[in-house]
PDB file of all heavy atoms in Angstrom:
ATOM      1  N   ASN I 154     -27.750   9.561   7.637  1.00  0.00           N
ATOM      2  CA  ASN I 154     -26.811  10.674   7.725  1.00  0.00           C
ATOM      3  C   ASN I 154     -25.500  10.245   8.393  1.00  0.00           C
ATOM      4  O   ASN I 154     -24.795  11.054   8.977  1.00  0.00           O
ATOM      5  CB  ASN I 154     -27.439  11.836   8.502  1.00  0.00           C
ATOM      6  CG  ASN I 154     -28.573  12.485   7.730  1.00  0.00           C
ATOM      7  OD1 ASN I 154     -28.351  13.309   6.858  1.00  0.00           O
ATOM      8  ND2 ASN I 154     -29.800  12.082   8.055  1.00  0.00           N
ATOM      9  N   GLY I 155     -25.206   8.956   8.260  1.00  0.00           N
ATOM     10  CA  GLY I 155     -23.966   8.443   8.826  1.00  0.00           C
ATOM     11  C   GLY I 155     -22.777   8.689   7.915  1.00  0.00           C
ATOM     12  O   GLY I 155     -22.891   9.207   6.797  1.00  0.00           O
ATOM     13  N   LEU I 156     -21.608   8.294   8.378  1.00  0.00           N
ATOM     14  CA  LEU I 156     -20.386   8.420   7.597  1.00  0.00           C
ATOM     15  C   LEU I 156     -20.396   7.437   6.432  1.00  0.00           C
ATOM     16  O   LEU I 156     -21.076   6.408   6.476  1.00  0.00           O
ATOM     17  CB  LEU I 156     -19.172   8.149   8.492  1.00  0.00           C
ATOM     18  CG  LEU I 156     -18.977   9.109   9.674  1.00  0.00           C
ATOM     19  CD1 LEU I 156     -17.759   8.686  10.488  1.00  0.00           C
ATOM     20  CD2 LEU I 156     -18.835  10.546   9.193  1.00  0.00           C
ATOM     21  N   ASN I 157     -19.643   7.768   5.407  1.00  0.00           N
ATOM     22  CA  ASN I 157     -19.538   6.879   4.248  1.00  0.00           C
ATOM     23  C   ASN I 157     -18.527   5.784   4.555  1.00  0.00           C
ATOM     24  O   ASN I 157     -17.335   6.052   4.698  1.00  0.00           O
ATOM     25  CB  ASN I 157     -19.101   7.668   3.012  1.00  0.00           C
ATOM     26  CG  ASN I 157     -19.165   6.826   1.751  1.00  0.00           C
ATOM     27  OD1 ASN I 157     -20.186   6.203   1.469  1.00  0.00           O
ATOM     28  ND2 ASN I 157     -18.072   6.787   1.004  1.00  0.00           N
ATOM     29  N   ASP I 158     -19.014   4.556   4.669  1.00  0.00           N
ATOM     30  CA  ASP I 158     -18.114   3.470   5.024  1.00  0.00           C
ATOM     31  C   ASP I 158     -17.448   2.879   3.784  1.00  0.00           C
ATOM     32  O   ASP I 158     -17.962   2.958   2.677  1.00  0.00           O
ATOM     33  CB  ASP I 158     -18.827   2.386   5.836  1.00  0.00           C
ATOM     34  CG  ASP I 158     -19.954   1.730   5.058  1.00  0.00           C
ATOM     35  OD1 ASP I 158     -20.556   2.407   4.216  1.00  0.00           O
ATOM     36  OD2 ASP I 158     -20.222   0.547   5.287  1.00  0.00           O
ATOM     37  N   VAL I 159     -16.283   2.290   4.013  1.00  0.00           N
ATOM     38  CA  VAL I 159     -15.444   1.724   2.964  1.00  0.00           C
ATOM     39  C   VAL I 159     -15.201   0.262   3.309  1.00  0.00           C
ATOM     40  O   VAL I 159     -15.073  -0.097   4.490  1.00  0.00           O
ATOM     41  CB  VAL I 159     -14.112   2.508   2.875  1.00  0.00           C
ATOM     42  CG1 VAL I 159     -13.124   1.830   1.946  1.00  0.00           C
ATOM     43  CG2 VAL I 159     -14.376   3.942   2.417  1.00  0.00           C
ATOM     44  N   HIS I 160     -15.133  -0.597   2.296  1.00  0.00           N
ATOM     45  CA  HIS I 160     -14.903  -2.027   2.525  1.00  0.00           C
ATOM     46  C   HIS I 160     -13.560  -2.255   3.220  1.00  0.00           C
ATOM     47  O   HIS I 160     -12.539  -1.671   2.844  1.00  0.00           O
ATOM     48  CB  HIS I 160     -14.919  -2.789   1.201  1.00  0.00           C
ATOM     49  CG  HIS I 160     -16.247  -2.776   0.521  1.00  0.00           C
ATOM     50  ND1 HIS I 160     -17.287  -3.592   0.904  1.00  0.00           N
ATOM     51  CD2 HIS I 160     -16.715  -2.036  -0.518  1.00  0.00           C
ATOM     52  CE1 HIS I 160     -18.327  -3.372   0.132  1.00  0.00           C
ATOM     53  NE2 HIS I 160     -18.019  -2.433  -0.741  1.00  0.00           N
ATOM     54  N   VAL I 161     -13.577  -3.150   4.215  1.00  0.00           N
ATOM     55  CA  VAL I 161     -12.384  -3.497   4.986  1.00  0.00           C
ATOM     56  C   VAL I 161     -12.266  -5.010   5.069  1.00  0.00           C
ATOM     57  O   VAL I 161     -13.261  -5.709   5.226  1.00  0.00           O
ATOM     58  CB  VAL I 161     -12.449  -2.926   6.426  1.00  0.00           C
ATOM     59  CG1 VAL I 161     -11.224  -3.336   7.226  1.00  0.00           C
ATOM     60  CG2 VAL I 161     -12.561  -1.423   6.408  1.00  0.00           C
ATOM     61  N   ASP I 162     -11.034  -5.514   4.968  1.00  0.00           N
ATOM     62  CA  ASP I 162     -10.772  -6.933   5.195  1.00  0.00           C
ATOM     63  C   ASP I 162      -9.317  -7.050   5.653  1.00  0.00           C
ATOM     64  O   ASP I 162      -8.561  -6.069   5.610  1.00  0.00           O
ATOM     65  CB  ASP I 162     -11.026  -7.740   3.924  1.00  0.00           C
ATOM     66  CG  ASP I 162     -11.349  -9.213   4.207  1.00  0.00           C
ATOM     67  OD1 ASP I 162     -11.089  -9.667   5.347  1.00  0.00           O
ATOM     68  OD2 ASP I 162     -11.825  -9.907   3.299  1.00  0.00           O
ATOM     69  N   THR I 163      -8.938  -8.232   6.081  1.00  0.00           N
ATOM     70  CA  THR I 163      -7.598  -8.409   6.632  1.00  0.00           C
ATOM     71  C   THR I 163      -6.938  -9.679   6.106  1.00  0.00           C
ATOM     72  O   THR I 163      -7.604 -10.642   5.723  1.00  0.00           O
ATOM     73  CB  THR I 163      -7.621  -8.483   8.171  1.00  0.00           C
ATOM     74  OG1 THR I 163      -8.463  -9.577   8.577  1.00  0.00           O
ATOM     75  CG2 THR I 163      -8.117  -7.193   8.783  1.00  0.00           C
ATOM     76  N   ILE I 164      -5.620  -9.656   6.102  1.00  0.00           N
ATOM     77  CA  ILE I 164      -4.785 -10.843   5.951  1.00  0.00           C
ATOM     78  C   ILE I 164      -3.878 -10.860   7.171  1.00  0.00           C
ATOM     79  O   ILE I 164      -2.981 -10.027   7.285  1.00  0.00           O
ATOM     80  CB  ILE I 164      -3.954 -10.803   4.658  1.00  0.00           C
ATOM     81  CG1 ILE I 164      -4.852 -10.808   3.425  1.00  0.00           C
ATOM     82  CG2 ILE I 164      -2.984 -11.989   4.607  1.00  0.00           C
ATOM     83  CD1 ILE I 164      -4.101 -10.650   2.117  1.00  0.00           C
ATOM     84  N   GLY I 165      -4.145 -11.782   8.098  1.00  0.00           N
ATOM     85  CA  GLY I 165      -3.408 -11.736   9.356  1.00  0.00           C
ATOM     86  C   GLY I 165      -3.627 -10.377  10.012  1.00  0.00           C
ATOM     87  O   GLY I 165      -4.764  -9.902  10.116  1.00  0.00           O
ATOM     88  N   PRO I 166      -2.550  -9.690  10.417  1.00  0.00           N
ATOM     89  CA  PRO I 166      -2.704  -8.377  11.046  1.00  0.00           C
ATOM     90  C   PRO I 166      -2.762  -7.233  10.045  1.00  0.00           C
ATOM     91  O   PRO I 166      -2.892  -6.071  10.448  1.00  0.00           O
ATOM     92  CB  PRO I 166      -1.437  -8.272  11.898  1.00  0.00           C
ATOM     93  CG  PRO I 166      -0.408  -9.022  11.104  1.00  0.00           C
ATOM     94  CD  PRO I 166      -1.150 -10.166  10.459  1.00  0.00           C
ATOM     95  N   PHE I 167      -2.678  -7.512   8.748  1.00  0.00           N
ATOM     96  CA  PHE I 167      -2.640  -6.473   7.727  1.00  0.00           C
ATOM     97  C   PHE I 167      -4.059  -6.063   7.340  1.00  0.00           C
ATOM     98  O   PHE I 167      -4.870  -6.899   6.923  1.00  0.00           O
ATOM     99  CB  PHE I 167      -1.886  -6.952   6.485  1.00  0.00           C
ATOM    100  CG  PHE I 167      -0.448  -7.327   6.737  1.00  0.00           C
ATOM    101  CD1 PHE I 167       0.096  -8.454   6.149  1.00  0.00           C
ATOM    102  CD2 PHE I 167       0.356  -6.558   7.565  1.00  0.00           C
ATOM    103  CE1 PHE I 167       1.415  -8.806   6.372  1.00  0.00           C
ATOM    104  CE2 PHE I 167       1.683  -6.894   7.798  1.00  0.00           C
ATOM    105  CZ  PHE I 167       2.215  -8.022   7.202  1.00  0.00           C
ATOM    106  N   ILE I 168      -4.351  -4.764   7.461  1.00  0.00           N
ATOM    107  CA  ILE I 168      -5.672  -4.217   7.146  1.00  0.00           C
ATOM    108  C   ILE I 168      -5.665  -3.694   5.714  1.00  0.00           C
ATOM    109  O   ILE I 168      -4.780  -2.924   5.328  1.00  0.00           O
ATOM    110  CB  ILE I 168      -6.042  -3.070   8.103  1.00  0.00           C
ATOM    111  CG1 ILE I 168      -6.002  -3.535   9.565  1.00  0.00           C
ATOM    112  CG2 ILE I 168      -7.408  -2.492   7.757  1.00  0.00           C
ATOM    113  CD1 ILE I 168      -6.059  -2.392  10.567  1.00  0.00           C
ATOM    114  N   PHE I 169      -6.674  -4.104   4.930  1.00  0.00           N
ATOM    115  CA  PHE I 169      -6.810  -3.632   3.559  1.00  0.00           C
ATOM    116  C   PHE I 169      -8.161  -2.944   3.396  1.00  0.00           C
ATOM    117  O   PHE I 169      -9.150  -3.320   4.035  1.00  0.00           O
ATOM    118  CB  PHE I 169      -6.709  -4.793   2.571  1.00  0.00           C
ATOM    119  CG  PHE I 169      -5.347  -5.421   2.520  1.00  0.00           C
ATOM    120  CD1 PHE I 169      -4.999  -6.415   3.421  1.00  0.00           C
ATOM    121  CD2 PHE I 169      -4.411  -5.008   1.592  1.00  0.00           C
ATOM    122  CE1 PHE I 169      -3.734  -7.006   3.393  1.00  0.00           C
ATOM    123  CE2 PHE I 169      -3.151  -5.587   1.551  1.00  0.00           C
ATOM    124  CZ  PHE I 169      -2.810  -6.587   2.449  1.00  0.00           C
ATOM    125  N   VAL I 170      -8.193  -1.943   2.518  1.00  0.00           N
ATOM    126  CA  VAL I 170      -9.436  -1.232   2.225  1.00  0.00           C
ATOM    127  C   VAL I 170      -9.680  -1.265   0.719  1.00  0.00           C
ATOM    128  O   VAL I 170      -8.749  -1.428  -0.074  1.00  0.00           O
ATOM    129  CB  VAL I 170      -9.392   0.235   2.707  1.00  0.00           C
ATOM    130  CG1 VAL I 170      -9.302   0.293   4.218  1.00  0.00           C
ATOM    131  CG2 VAL I 170      -8.229   0.997   2.061  1.00  0.00           C
ATOM    132  N   ASN I 171     -10.945  -1.113   0.337  1.00  0.00           N
ATOM    133  CA  ASN I 171     -11.293  -1.078  -1.075  1.00  0.00           C
ATOM    134  C   ASN I 171     -12.383  -0.022  -1.275  1.00  0.00           C
ATOM    135  O   ASN I 171     -13.425  -0.074  -0.620  1.00  0.00           O
ATOM    136  CB  ASN I 171     -11.772  -2.452  -1.556  1.00  0.00           C
ATOM    137  CG  ASN I 171     -11.811  -2.557  -3.062  1.00  0.00           C
ATOM    138  OD1 ASN I 171     -12.414  -1.735  -3.740  1.00  0.00           O
ATOM    139  ND2 ASN I 171     -11.132  -3.573  -3.598  1.00  0.00           N
ATOM    140  N   LEU I 172     -12.136   0.927  -2.181  1.00  0.00           N
ATOM    141  CA  LEU I 172     -13.056   2.035  -2.408  1.00  0.00           C
ATOM    142  C   LEU I 172     -14.190   1.688  -3.359  1.00  0.00           C
ATOM    143  O   LEU I 172     -15.147   2.454  -3.484  1.00  0.00           O
ATOM    144  CB  LEU I 172     -12.293   3.240  -2.970  1.00  0.00           C
ATOM    145  CG  LEU I 172     -11.118   3.765  -2.140  1.00  0.00           C
ATOM    146  CD1 LEU I 172     -10.497   4.978  -2.830  1.00  0.00           C
ATOM    147  CD2 LEU I 172     -11.545   4.126  -0.725  1.00  0.00           C
ATOM    148  N   ASP I 173     -14.095   0.555  -4.031  1.00  0.00           N
ATOM    149  CA  ASP I 173     -15.107   0.176  -5.017  1.00  0.00           C
ATOM    150  C   ASP I 173     -16.412  -0.192  -4.321  1.00  0.00           C
ATOM    151  O   ASP I 173     -16.417  -0.685  -3.185  1.00  0.00           O
ATOM    152  CB  ASP I 173     -14.596  -1.008  -5.842  1.00  0.00           C
ATOM    153  CG  ASP I 173     -15.382  -1.211  -7.120  1.00  0.00           C
ATOM    154  OD1 ASP I 173     -15.808  -0.214  -7.721  1.00  0.00           O
ATOM    155  OD2 ASP I 173     -15.590  -2.367  -7.513  1.00  0.00           O
ATOM    156  N   ASP I 174     -17.524   0.035  -5.009  1.00  0.00           N
ATOM    157  CA  ASP I 174     -18.828  -0.308  -4.426  1.00  0.00           C
ATOM    158  C   ASP I 174     -19.018  -1.818  -4.307  1.00  0.00           C
ATOM    159  O   ASP I 174     -19.643  -2.301  -3.363  1.00  0.00           O
ATOM    160  CB  ASP I 174     -19.957   0.281  -5.272  1.00  0.00           C
ATOM    161  CG  ASP I 174     -20.018   1.796  -5.194  1.00  0.00           C
ATOM    162  OD1 ASP I 174     -19.548   2.349  -4.181  1.00  0.00           O
ATOM    163  OD2 ASP I 174     -20.520   2.423  -6.148  1.00  0.00           O
ATOM    164  N   ASP I 175     -18.495  -2.549  -5.272  1.00  0.00           N
ATOM    165  CA  ASP I 175     -18.678  -4.007  -5.296  1.00  0.00           C
ATOM    166  C   ASP I 175     -17.342  -4.670  -5.654  1.00  0.00           C
ATOM    167  O   ASP I 175     -17.176  -5.180  -6.769  1.00  0.00           O
ATOM    168  CB  ASP I 175     -19.769  -4.380  -6.305  1.00  0.00           C
ATOM    169  CG  ASP I 175     -20.103  -5.866  -6.286  1.00  0.00           C
ATOM    170  OD1 ASP I 175     -19.877  -6.514  -5.241  1.00  0.00           O
ATOM    171  OD2 ASP I 175     -20.585  -6.374  -7.317  1.00  0.00           O
ATOM    172  N   PRO I 176     -16.393  -4.709  -4.732  1.00  0.00           N
ATOM    173  CA  PRO I 176     -15.053  -5.213  -5.058  1.00  0.00           C
ATOM    174  C   PRO I 176     -14.997  -6.733  -5.120  1.00  0.00           C
ATOM    175  O   PRO I 176     -15.838  -7.431  -4.554  1.00  0.00           O
ATOM    176  CB  PRO I 176     -14.202  -4.699  -3.901  1.00  0.00           C
ATOM    177  CG  PRO I 176     -15.143  -4.650  -2.741  1.00  0.00           C
ATOM    178  CD  PRO I 176     -16.477  -4.228  -3.334  1.00  0.00           C
ATOM    179  N   MET I 177     -13.989  -7.236  -5.834  1.00  0.00           N
ATOM    180  CA  MET I 177     -13.701  -8.663  -5.745  1.00  0.00           C
ATOM    181  C   MET I 177     -13.311  -8.980  -4.304  1.00  0.00           C
ATOM    182  O   MET I 177     -12.814  -8.103  -3.582  1.00  0.00           O
ATOM    183  CB  MET I 177     -12.557  -9.041  -6.688  1.00  0.00           C
ATOM    184  CG  MET I 177     -11.167  -8.615  -6.225  1.00  0.00           C
ATOM    185  SD  MET I 177      -9.826  -9.331  -7.207  1.00  0.00           S
ATOM    186  CE  MET I 177      -9.760  -8.175  -8.565  1.00  0.00           C
ATOM    187  N   PRO I 178     -13.521 -10.199  -3.820  1.00  0.00           N
ATOM    188  CA  PRO I 178     -13.097 -10.540  -2.461  1.00  0.00           C
ATOM    189  C   PRO I 178     -11.577 -10.383  -2.309  1.00  0.00           C
ATOM    190  O   PRO I 178     -10.825 -10.643  -3.256  1.00  0.00           O
ATOM    191  CB  PRO I 178     -13.506 -12.006  -2.317  1.00  0.00           C
ATOM    192  CG  PRO I 178     -14.577 -12.210  -3.350  1.00  0.00           C
ATOM    193  CD  PRO I 178     -14.212 -11.311  -4.490  1.00  0.00           C
ATOM    194  N   LEU I 179     -11.149  -9.962  -1.149  1.00  0.00           N
ATOM    195  CA  LEU I 179      -9.716  -9.823  -0.904  1.00  0.00           C
ATOM    196  C   LEU I 179      -8.996 -11.146  -1.113  1.00  0.00           C
ATOM    197  O   LEU I 179      -7.888 -11.179  -1.667  1.00  0.00           O
ATOM    198  CB  LEU I 179      -9.463  -9.307   0.520  1.00  0.00           C
ATOM    199  CG  LEU I 179      -7.996  -9.242   0.962  1.00  0.00           C
ATOM    200  CD1 LEU I 179      -7.173  -8.346   0.039  1.00  0.00           C
ATOM    201  CD2 LEU I 179      -7.890  -8.768   2.412  1.00  0.00           C
ATOM    202  N   GLU I 180      -9.612 -12.257  -0.697  1.00  0.00           N
ATOM    203  CA  GLU I 180      -8.945 -13.553  -0.848  1.00  0.00           C
ATOM    204  C   GLU I 180      -8.736 -13.905  -2.317  1.00  0.00           C
ATOM    205  O   GLU I 180      -7.785 -14.619  -2.662  1.00  0.00           O
ATOM    206  CB  GLU I 180      -9.724 -14.646  -0.138  1.00  0.00           C
ATOM    207  CG  GLU I 180     -11.120 -14.890  -0.662  1.00  0.00           C
ATOM    208  CD  GLU I 180     -11.847 -15.970   0.122  1.00  0.00           C
ATOM    209  OE1 GLU I 180     -11.358 -16.389   1.191  1.00  0.00           O
ATOM    210  OE2 GLU I 180     -12.924 -16.387  -0.337  1.00  0.00           O
TER     211      GLU I 180
END
Side-chain angles (χ1 to χ4, degrees):
N154 291 278
L156 298 178
N157 188 51
D158 62 330
V159 171
H160 295 281
V161 178
D162 204 345
T163 58
I164 297 175
F167 299 138
I168 303 167
F169 293 86
V170 295
N171 194 307
L172 303 181
D173 197 35
D174 291 335
D175 185 25
M177 75 170 84
L179 174 59
E180 62 182 11

